[in-house]
Amino acid sequence: MLNHLYSRYSLATRGSGRGWLLAGFTVATFVGFLSLAPVARAQDSTIRAIQNIFDPLSAPAETLYNVSLLVMAVCGVIFLIVGGLLTYAIIRYRHRGPEDDQEEPPQVYGSAAIELAWTVPPILIVVMLVLVTARTIGEIQHHQMPAAAEEIRIIGHRFWWEVRYPKHDVVTANEIHVPLSSRTNRVPTEMILESADVIHGFWVPQLNGKTMLVPNYRNTMWIEPYATGIYLGNCTVLCGPQHANMLIRVIVDKPDVYQKWLESQKQPPVSDPQTVEGQKQFIANSCGTCHTIDGVRGANGVFAPDLTHFASRTTLGSGVAPNDEQNLRIWVQDPQRLKQGCLMPDMQLSDNQVDAIVAYLRTLK
Amino acid sequence: MILTESSLFTIFVVAYLFYIGKSLNPPYPWQVLEFPWLGSLFLFSSSGTVVAAEHKLKKGDKAGFELWWLITALLGLAFLIYTGTEWYSLIYHDGLTLSTNLFGSTFYSLVGLHASHVLVGLILLTLILVASVTGNIKPRHHEHIEMISWYWHFVDGIWAVVVTVVYIIGMQH
Amino acid sequence: MADPTSTLREIGTELKPAPPGHEHGSLTAWIQDLVFTVDHKKLGFLYIGAAWLFFVLGGIMALLIRTQIAVPNNHLLDGETFNGTITMHGTTMIFFFAMMMVFGLINFIVPLQIGARDMAFPRLNAFSFWATFFGGVFLFLSYIFGPGLYGMGAAPDASWFALAPLTSRAFSPGNNIDFWSLGLLVSGVGSITGGVNVMVTIFCYRTKGMTLYRMPLFTWLSLVTMFLIIMFMPPLSAAQIMLVLERFFGAKFFEAQAGGSPVLWQHFFWIFGHPEVYILVLPAFGVISEVVPVFSRKPIFGYPMMVAATVMIGFISAGVWAHHMFTIGMDSFSVTFFAFATFVIAIPTGIKIFNWLGTMYGGKIRLEVPMLFCIAFLFQFLIAGLTGIMLGCAPFDWQLNDSYFVIAHFHYVIVGGIVFAVFSGFYYWFPKATGRMLDKRLGTWHFWVFTLGFHLTFDPQHFLGFLGMPRRIYTYQEGRGWEFLNMLSTIGAFLQAVGAILFIVNMISSARKGKIAGDDPWDAWTLEWMTSSPPPEYNFEQLPEVRSRRPLWDLKHPEDPDWKFE
């Protein structure tokens, strides 16, 4: 019976439009508050800025979506029944006028039968919910990863994400590329979550629920996206002044595009003779004590994002601004202007130094 | 009141148990702890003497009450001195302080919490003793005195838990 | 200990209805009286007055927060100031508004309801108040110290539950966190001693004939609340002591590098934290359980079951704490267990709602202002409970935890539930406390404005959670779909402020020239309505003897008394 109930609330895996419709209807009925602005699909179909949990685009997110529909339906029904009874009681039994002052209504103290009648159904509902919950927990937490699964290690820092690909020896930051999965070729991505300082949280709603990154503690989660695009997410556990700008970008690519990206990340950084001066300034100003650039002596710090392929990223400062020349100039000059409270200090560089370093960084594709 | 205090102590006990064996650097419990025979003797027997004092009080034997009450306080004091010497040795001889490792943190906080409660009890005992000697205890105070002796038993009971957790279980690691 | 029934005072002069602040005598005499009083009624006023003060302060912070995030990329508050503001908002509202309001109401009402002359330990009562109050003052001192006045001082900024290791010296170098832990340690002492006092009072000072099963439900719920306080506030104190030891003496409780576990802090905190919200909500249930019967003109439906449900809630609340930690990476068994316990606690809570419904059913519901707030409470608490069930389903929580959905849920409980119940209790008991009725027209306006504001603020936040907006962010980017809902929410917040102002105006003006109430303006049935309004200092001329749960009903309906049927 549970399976039947369960499958009743499962929708086809790709019907995100239908899913939204049903969810919207359920929720709107539930609260009766049609305040939700017309939720437009993102104009640019590749950037998934609207991360609606009722629009899952990944296998575990969809499992969560199914169970959430069930729970909301149950709650919705309860609300309608109890709310309806309340409304009825208020209208029917309200004090109408002076004639109602003549005598008190029948003084009923209680009724064991009625008490029993309204205790048993909730108990049954709870039993059903517990079983469904337990099953879903198992489904997500004990999922067997196939051998072809991609593996990523994500280490949370104050206020950026370190991203490592152990299988490919690739290190990057903030923008996480993962391969697309499909029915015929299932490639989930397992993510190992750790923290270098305080507790953080990783959340991209359309891909999965969130998991915390705790120091001295290893967490695992997995995603299996089946739609390409750039998924936006946030850090969800207060980690300091720039918690709000510790943004996530998960870029889901088709397998061939993904492979190409991996290959490009494995290449050593471009060595452009025109920006040798910039590289020198980079080292001379101690940038390398915090940042790593592959193959550059003196640039092997681990406190800040790996910059080897910095120019291939679309944003800087973990999403706080687009990665273009103007923003990069501001950032290198004084990062506090873009992200006040972040841990990169104002290095007191002169304009020439900034120019040189910016030119150099922009070659690191 | 006893419920509240139990709740407070429980958390420190949990912290201690949780961190048993997890310290990353020495000194470790088995290296530096010795079973506190003498201290426990002092404290547990003081529970007995306080009962004797209560007994005398009920019989109206003022002198007897004061004597047994005094012995209780002295035993409590002896316990504190014993703890003090133990800590002195741990700090200066073995180098174990609150900030050395997990063991140090949980040990000192738990045992320290207990010792502070003993100290408070000692102060209460002394106050009653002084009041009695100066002739200020009336029959209506007897219930308060009974409360204080209950508190004293409670502190002893906590010590039994601390001994088990810290010295019996903890010393295995 | 004095025998409570042995004193029979003469019929003395009754005190004129004298609202606080306007008593005859000089100002210094009045202040001296308040500072040194041990009378439970005056201490009740002190608690309540302080609670409203902190409510206003916390409310100002809420408005700051809402203004900052009404639009994306706003620059009203920077990240650090914002974090301080949200921390202070949460800490102030929970510990210094809600807790003090709870103690204030209980202090005033419980001795009257059980027919006692005062609390068991009046001086301890005064101590409890001042300790709590000083804790709050100390917390706010943080604004003055630290980096100085031009910044927001050193207000604690690690959120109201102060997650380790953000709170360690390494990541919070100033004294912000210390103000938090020390302030709360002091007020915690006040709460615990207050709890002991109320419990002893209820157990030992009930008037003749009032068995535990004849106590009014407000008193019953207060009793269970006190149990929760004395059992579950110590874990917070213990954890804070550990935090202080860690920050000042280098102890290693939560430090990952020493092998410590930040998760342990979360366990300790939430072992306190979850019962804490029940500590806040049970007295609110108590108010509803008093007001609904009187304004439906029927006794509470199923009194024994209400008591049983309350006790069950008390017990189970100790076992649900880790539902705040579903996303930390616990093993499946623990996650399932805590989801299960969370679902189970919904059952007695739901039963209470059904019982209130059963009380109203078949009655003659008078839609006076106290009842309006009760009705809103019932709908809102129903929704809050249901969103709680949604969050209790761990997989659903994996999406919704730490998002605006959670904020919506707990504000529904605390504002939509507790604050509404407090308003209801005020409109109900203000006449008893001051001798004057609160103005009905102003009260009706207050109700509608505040309710509209409440819904406008928090209903959109559920959807913000659905759309992926996390908590505690001081700003957000455009294009995430959050702009419109945030703006709605901010407008609602200002509406609530207007409603609150209306209420304060009502209180002040009614205290001076409200309609005289008399002893029993609502035709109610519990003991507090038997004495004058306001009650004389000794509460009752002669301590009453009761034979049922509704002693005044018996007096008013001698042909049909309750004790024939119970």
Side-chain angles (χ1 to χ4, degrees), chain B residues 76-107:
Chain B
L77 184 64
F79 171 81
L80 282 178
I81 293 177
Y82 172 85
T83 304
T85 53
E86 186 191 13
W87 282 22
Y88 186 86
S89 154
L90 282 172
I91 295 175
Y92 291 105
H93 188 245
D94 300 306
L96 179 74
T97 64
L98 190 65
S99 58
T100 310
N101 55 12
L102 292 175
F103 166 56
S105 299
T106 50
F107 173 79

Side-chain angles (χ1 to χ4, degrees), chain B residues 12-113:
Chain B
F12 281 97
V13 167
V14 166
Y16 188 88
L17 287 170
F18 185 75
Y19 283 136
I20 281 185
K22 294 210 176 113
S23 292
L24 296 178
N25 51 276
Y28 301 113
W30 54 268
Q31 289 174 324
V32 300
L33 286 183
E34 271 173 23
F35 195 84
W37 295 109
L38 205 53
S40 307
L41 182 66
F42 288 146
L43 204 59
F44 290 139
S45 51
S46 72
S47 257
T49 57
V50 88
V51 168
E54 284 275 297
H55 204 58
K56 295 287 181 204
L57 186 66
K58 279 199 186 61
K59 287 204 323 218
D61 179 0
K62 182 164 175 292
F65 161 71
E66 284 166 13
L67 177 64
W68 283 108
W69 198 257
L70 176 65
I71 296 179
T72 309
L74 288 176
L75 286 171
L77 184 64
F79 171 81
L80 282 178
I81 293 177
Y82 172 85
T83 304
T85 53
E86 186 191 13
W87 282 22
Y88 186 86
S89 154
L90 282 172
I91 295 175
Y92 291 105
H93 188 245
D94 300 306
L96 179 74
T97 64
L98 190 65
S99 58
T100 310
N101 55 12
L102 292 175
F103 166 56
S105 299
T106 50
F107 173 79
Y108 283 112
S109 57
L110 179 57
V111 177
L113 191 69

